[in-house]
Amino acid sequence: MVSSPPISAVIPNRDGADLLPRTLPPLLAELPPDRHEILVIDDGSEDDSVAMLAEQFPAVRVVGLQESVGFGAACNRGFQEAGHDLVLLLNSDMEVTAGSVELLLEHFEDPQVFAAGPEYHSAKPDAANRPRRSEAYWPMLGSPAGGGLFRRQAYLELGGFDPLYHPFYWEDIDLGWNAWRAGWRIMHDARAHFVHLEGATIARLFSPEFVARIQARNRCLFGWKNFRSRRLRRRHTLSIMRRAIGQLLRGSSCAIVGLREAWRMRAQAIAARPKTPPQRNDEEILAASETELGLLLSI
């Protein structure tokens, strides 16, 4: 990648001392540190991540946070610290493959492309890992938060990942929605793939009940913040209620608790609405990103 532009790789890390020794070597081979930049934003890890990085990967720049700020805020800090115009955002359990970043770079010849993401392949030996479509690449709605290439300045101008969704989930869809709203495009490239080691950081740190509650809460907040179309608002409300009732009938109150928490945050969601005039309305965003409303509401 000698002729390619320099890239800053940003890795948010929380207790990933067991994952980084596997994910960093292929990344350093793909983005040699004499030309590119590798940053690990350590989100208040309680393991020996920082010491391990200093000892085994001295070429990696570590930004240590004294306490955990959550995934979105850690990513935002990484984009602020990054020194290059293009940023490769990468989860600590995501392994790049040779040539994949170069394929993603091709999309940035289009000045309207905000981000490009690869296929995420499972590291499990029995995984199918088949592309979802027959095309080489296509538009996608959400930003590739698990691993993908971004325009740094556009990310910062859009505000990055909204702290409304702290500590996780739906911030990637929200950023993608607002990028499309502002006239940008996001591409998914099936020719490129990263290997997901499935370190399950969230599952290790949080209970299933907490995760389900946050998912339900943030699903509500996303719609209240972003949907202007009456049709979308109506479908969104019906989807939320059906999901909550369905989970309640199955013996789980997580969605109801999440909905109650979301209602208390509704004013925050409305206050977080973008103030700039939209380049695309709701229906145009779905059409341009080739996204079915039903699929979006089922996430």
Side-chain angles (χ1 to χ4, degrees):
M1 298 184 64
V2 174
S3 61
S4 67
I7 292 171
S8 295
V10 167
I11 304 174
N13 172 67
R14 175 79 186 275
D15 294 340
D18 57 332
L19 295 168
L20 292 170
R22 181 168 173 182
T23 57
L24 281 172
L27 178 61
L28 289 163
E30 188 77 352
L31 300 179
D34 60 339
R35 176 172 174 76
H36 305 280
E37 176 186 38
I38 313 294
L39 295 90
V40 171
I41 310 301
D42 189 74
D43 188 27
S45 290
E46 296 179 355
D47 65 5
D48 62 347
S49 290
V50 174
M52 180 276 296
L53 289 167
E55 180 180 350
Q56 298 184 30
F57 300 97
V60 172
R61 178 183 166 203
V62 179
V63 178
L65 307 181
Q66 295 302 309
E67 58 183 27
S68 176
V69 296
F71 173 78
C75 292
N76 291 349
R77 177 66 181 272
F79 274 80
Q80 292 164 2
E81 296 278 349
H84 299 308
D85 294 336
L86 293 177
V87 172
L88 178 67
L89 182 61
L90 198 68
N91 279 2
S92 61
D93 63 354
M94 199 71 72
E95 182 179 314
V96 302
T97 58
S100 288
V101 177
E102 193 166 7
L103 290 170
L104 297 181
L105 267 172
E106 293 179 9
H107 296 282
F108 290 84
E109 295 176 8
D110 180 349
Q112 294 305 115
V113 167
F114 165 61
E119 290 281 310
Y120 300 151
H121 286 186
S122 172
K124 295 179 180 179
D126 58 344
N129 291 327
R130 296 188 186 94
R132 287 166 281 170
R133 291 167 52 165
S134 59
E135 303 99 316
Y137 43 82
W138 57 84
M140 63 184 288
L141 177 63
S143 59
L149 201 58
F150 293 76
R151 292 190 194 273
R152 175 180 179 271
Q153 189 59 39
Y155 179 100
L156 295 174
E157 289 175 357
L158 288 167
F161 292 129
D162 192 334
L164 178 72
Y165 303 99
H166 176 84
F168 44 67
Y169 288 141
W170 280 88
E171 64 273 281
D172 55 340
I173 306 296
D174 177 81
L175 178 59
W177 184 274
N178 282 287
W180 284 100
R181 177 186 181 277
W184 293 98
R185 302 175 67 226
I186 302 173
M187 300 301 296
H188 179 93
D189 195 324
R191 302 172 303 165
H193 74 274
F194 295 169
V195 178
H196 186 203
L197 305 182
E198 298 175 357
T201 300
I202 289 175
R204 287 189 294 179
L205 297 173
F206 303 96
S207 70
E209 293 77 17
F210 179 82
V211 172
R213 174 166 63 85
I214 295 301
Q215 286 176 321
R217 183 198 74 181
N218 287 354
R219 185 179 295 110
C220 296
L221 295 177
F222 173 84
W224 293 339
K225 174 186 173 182
N226 291 300
F227 292 153
R228 301 294 185 276
S229 159
R230 289 184 179 179
R231 181 179 79 94
L232 267 63
R233 291 201 302 266
R234 183 169 58 251
R235 289 279 303 276
H236 176 247
T237 300
L238 289 173
S239 174
I240 288 171
M241 298 310 299
R242 286 179 184 145
R243 187 183 296 265
I245 293 170
Q247 289 189 13
L248 195 60
L249 292 175
R250 293 191 295 272
S252 172
S253 62
C254 293
I256 295 294
V257 175
L259 179 57
R260 185 188 309 137
E261 185 175 339
W263 185 257
R264 291 197 296 266
M265 298 175 63
R266 190 170 186 271
Q268 292 175 241
I270 293 172
R273 289 175 178 172
K275 304 301 188 294
T276 55
Q279 299 300 306
R280 297 184 179 99
N281 63 32
D282 291 2
E283 304 288 355
E284 290 169 337
I285 291 171
L286 292 173
S289 63
E290 300 181 8
T291 302
E292 296 181 9
L293 177 59
L295 179 61
L296 171 62
L297 296 179
S298 70
I299 294 174

